[in-house]
Amino acid sequence: MTKCVVVLLSGRGSNFQSLLNASLEGSLGGEISLVVSNRPGAGGLAIAHDAGIETALIDHQRYPTRETFDQDLAGVVDSAQPDLVVLAGFMRILTVDFVERFSRRLMNIHPSLLPLYPGLHTHQRALDNGDTHAGATVHYVTGELDGGPPVLQARVPIHAGDDADTLAARVLEEEHRIYPTAVNWHLTGRLTWHAGDLLRDGGPVPPSGELWEDPS
Ligand code: GRF
């Protein structure tokens, strides 16, 4: 049976686009059946619409609490019976209830070399610290912000003269490579768990995730 992915996003949707491209090429390991946004103007909704993918808008501003928003969100996501829920620039912190409901089938991409720089403004923080490298990490989501088990990580050099925008652009190119790969690993059963530890192809995944190496 075709594996099913639900994407949650809040913004422009370039990572969603990279997943969609992989799906259309047949390299994702499944299909994206639903895209949910918490923001009416999200560019990702337009991409989904143009691609003929079902969309849902759940505007968090219409909810009195995070809990009620997450309950409705979980109901909509569940209705698609996803094999994987993918956060692609979804700018809401999820409740523990939501995270536990989709435990081990909820992934995020974060624009830093986790465990460095969880949270916001990752590129500026890397620059301010004088780091020589930056990157992005795909990880499973737990109740700890940007703290769940890393799956796959890509590194890029930081160049003299970089600012947060130039660095973000370099990292984003890698995001578009690693997210479809990590999703494929999940959907094709290459990621498994043993006594709480994440394995890929039966072997332990390093603490900061597998290191991305360009196959080309
Ligand atoms: C990406 O940088 C991602 O790492 C972060 O949010 C941004 C989303 O960008 N979580 P896009 O909407 O996928 O273009």
Side-chain angles (χ1 to χ4, degrees):
M1 217 170 96
T2 307
K3 300 282 181 178
C4 159
V5 177
V6 169
V7 174
L8 309 189
L9 53 76
S10 304
R12 66 189 162 184
S14 72
N15 275 288
F16 159 52
Q17 178 79 67
S18 76
L19 297 166
L20 177 61
N21 293 346
S23 165
L24 296 173
E25 285 165 7
S27 62
L28 192 66
E31 286 177 3
I32 300 167
S33 61
L34 175 66
V35 171
V36 186
S37 174
N38 65 310
R39 286 191 188 279
L45 282 177
I47 295 171
H49 184 76
D50 289 350
I53 295 173
E54 188 184 338
T55 60
L57 170 65
I58 308 179
D59 185 346
H60 66 276
Q61 291 181 318
R62 303 175 78 116
Y63 288 82
T65 62
R66 197 176 287 282
E67 285 71 23
T68 50
F69 169 76
D70 272 17
Q71 280 159 15
D72 271 12
L73 180 65
V76 169
V77 171
D78 250 347
S79 68
Q81 298 190 294
D83 296 287
L84 182 65
V85 181
V86 169
L87 307 180
F90 186 66
M91 302 303 286
R92 299 287 299 167
I93 293 175
L94 294 161
T95 56
V96 172
D97 276 358
F98 185 98
V99 168
E100 286 180 353
R101 187 155 163 176
F102 298 101
S103 175
R104 295 187 175 173
R105 53 187 178 120
L106 182 57
M107 268 186 180
N108 182 41
I109 190 160
H110 184 73
S112 80
L113 296 171
L114 288 173
L116 291 176
Y117 314 126
L120 298 173
H121 309 302
T122 53
H123 304 304
Q124 191 59 53
R125 287 154 72 197
L127 291 168
D128 291 347
N129 275 343
D131 293 356
T132 58
H133 287 80
T137 310
V138 178
H139 63 96
Y140 282 105
V141 176
T142 62
E144 189 189 342
L145 180 67
D146 300 322
V151 174
L152 182 56
Q153 188 168 78
R155 287 163 66 88
V156 300
I158 295 179
H159 298 318
D162 266 339
D163 60 23
D165 290 339
T166 58
L167 183 54
R170 193 173 308 125
V171 170
L172 192 64
E173 278 186 38
E174 301 303 315
E175 294 185 34
H176 297 161
R177 297 192 173 102
I178 64 174
Y179 217 176
T181 300
V183 169
N184 171 282
W185 288 354
H186 176 96
L187 294 177
T188 58
R190 294 180 64 183
L191 297 171
T192 54
W193 298 86
H194 179 71
D197 291 331
L198 179 60
L199 310 178
R200 186 187 62 135
D201 299 334
V205 173
S208 52
E210 301 287 355
L211 187 61
W212 167 258
E213 286 173 64
D214 196 333
S216 60

